[in-house]
Amino acid sequence: MRLLSVAAHSFRVKGYDATTTRELAATMGLQKASLYYYISDKAHLLYEICEVSLQHIHATVEAAIADVRHPREQVEQVILAHVRAMLEDRDMHATMLVELRALSGDRRTNIIALRDKYEALVRGVIARAQDANEIRRDITAHDLTLALLNLLNWTIFWYSPDGGRTPEQLADEFRRIYLFGATAK
Amino acid sequence: MRLLSVAAHSFRVKGYDATTTRELAATMGLQKASLYYYISDKAHLLYEICEVSLQHIHATVEAAIADVRHPREQVEQVILAHVRAMLEDRDMHATMLVELRALSGDRRTNIIALRDKYEALVRGVIARAQDANEIRRDITAHDLTLALLNLLNWTIFWYSPDGGRTPEQLADEFRRIYLFGATAK
DNA sequence: GTCTATAAAGAGATAGAC
DNA sequence: GTCTATCTCTTTATAGAC
């Protein structure tokens, strides 16, 4: 639905609270009241954005590792797929990352559950690579996962497609830094 | 000033726009009108929080590397000082990181300048370590800096002091991952 | 599906007394 | 410094016609 994209764009640039239903309606070429034919309330838009975002990332990363046997190669595919998915739709994913706190009640609970499920997917990949002795074991899979998501997620706030680098090039830099470190030659 | 801490806390938890001056006044034990004895407008609070946050991080990191000669040790000190400073006052620094977009005009310009100045400080450390061949040169100092700040900054959104780990322990994990990678043994 | 009109509540900020 | 009272504007959301 196009309304979701319009909302995601405004939510990323101005924030959820600072975006008014009037603006969204104007961008869609509608009157404010007409929005309520499509949505029950403003928070519903945010909820759907977060849901679509997390489901998309989960499915993309899951598909990327499906046919990969080697544990360390799985880690590499997670990095590439995650960066690609995020940067392909910055509006959606940046909104999900930053505006979750604006949700409340069941909506919030559901989105947090989806986020935890995705984290568990990544953590599983890391843990299996540790079992195969391909990833260091002096740091828990939990912390290695948080560090990886730190490294990848923040990118969405400074990346610009006009910067001359593709998501794939950036993902490869992150792959080298994450796996081999900044001191590697 | 205590008002700044109260505001920073609400801004981090609920967001700048979702926090009302009425709430801030109530938390301070004042009437809404009394706030305006201390501030000119609501955005002034956000501006001061961002300013104090960035000045504090800059000063802390600068002090941490002042007496360190060895280039790679400087990088290590940046990691430790940055993580320590951030986690010592999560309210202030998380607000600065997320709510900058709510500022406009000169206020926004000034804060972005402070942020750029801090990034330049870190980039200088990385670049000198590259010159000394202590840090890999197949990735630009610019990108190595962004990757490092990615890794460190996002932490503030999931770190809890109740989690059983100190900022120093986390900083050491980040140091190992950033310098030597997740595959190091 | 989309409109006009409007209800109902909440927001930031100011005036002026004490 | 802090108060009460209030202004003015903006917000989300609904009613009901077409």
Side-chain angles (χ1 to χ4, degrees), chain B residues 29-180:
Chain B
L30 293 174
Q31 293 302 310
K32 318 115 210 165
S34 307
L35 281 184
Y36 290 87
Y37 176 77
Y38 299 101
I39 58 167
S40 55
D41 57 5
K42 188 185 164 188
H44 179 77
L45 281 171
L46 179 56
Y47 178 69
E48 282 215 337
I49 287 166
C50 292
E51 193 183 28
V52 169
S53 158
L54 279 164
Q55 285 174 345
H56 182 248
I57 293 186
H58 190 108
T60 304
V61 168
E62 205 167 38
I65 60 173
D67 297 327
V68 178
R69 286 251 180 278
H70 192 61
R72 197 171 83 194
E73 207 182 317
Q74 281 204 344
V75 177
E76 296 177 343
Q77 288 301 317
V78 167
I79 294 172
L80 177 59
H82 184 100
V83 171
R84 240 191 204 146
M86 287 231 134
L87 299 188
E88 246 164 37
D89 194 338
R90 287 181 299 153
D91 292 336
M92 219 78 158
H93 301 300
T95 297
M96 179 271 289
L97 285 171
V98 171
E99 303 291 349
L100 198 153
R101 67 181 168 197
L103 290 176
S104 57
D106 287 351
R107 281 172 170 157
R108 190 192 195 115
T109 309
N110 290 346
I111 297 302
I112 288 177
L114 284 178
R115 197 188 55 181
D116 290 349
K117 195 178 135 203
Y118 177 62
E119 264 183 43
L121 174 69
V122 176
R123 194 167 54 246
V125 172
I126 300 270
R128 283 195 299 279
Q130 281 183 318
D131 293 342
N133 213 30
E134 296 271 346
I135 291 282
R136 64 192 306 158
R137 303 166 88 151
D138 60 335
I139 299 175
T140 64
H142 176 259
D143 281 9
L144 283 166
T145 302
L146 288 177
L148 178 58
L149 294 177
N150 278 4
L151 181 66
L152 304 184
N153 279 340
W154 192 267
T155 311
I156 207 166
F157 300 117
W158 53 259
Y159 176 77
S160 161
D162 313 325
R165 276 165 312 175
T166 64
E168 288 75 16
Q169 289 171 324
L170 264 177
D172 192 62
E173 290 192 349
F174 291 144
R175 179 187 64 79
R176 282 181 277 157
I177 293 172
Y178 184 71
L179 290 180
F180 308 115

Side-chain angles (χ1 to χ4, degrees), chain A residues 20-22 36 42:
Chain A
T20 67
T21 53
R22 282 167 172 76
Y36 290 88
K42 189 184 164 189

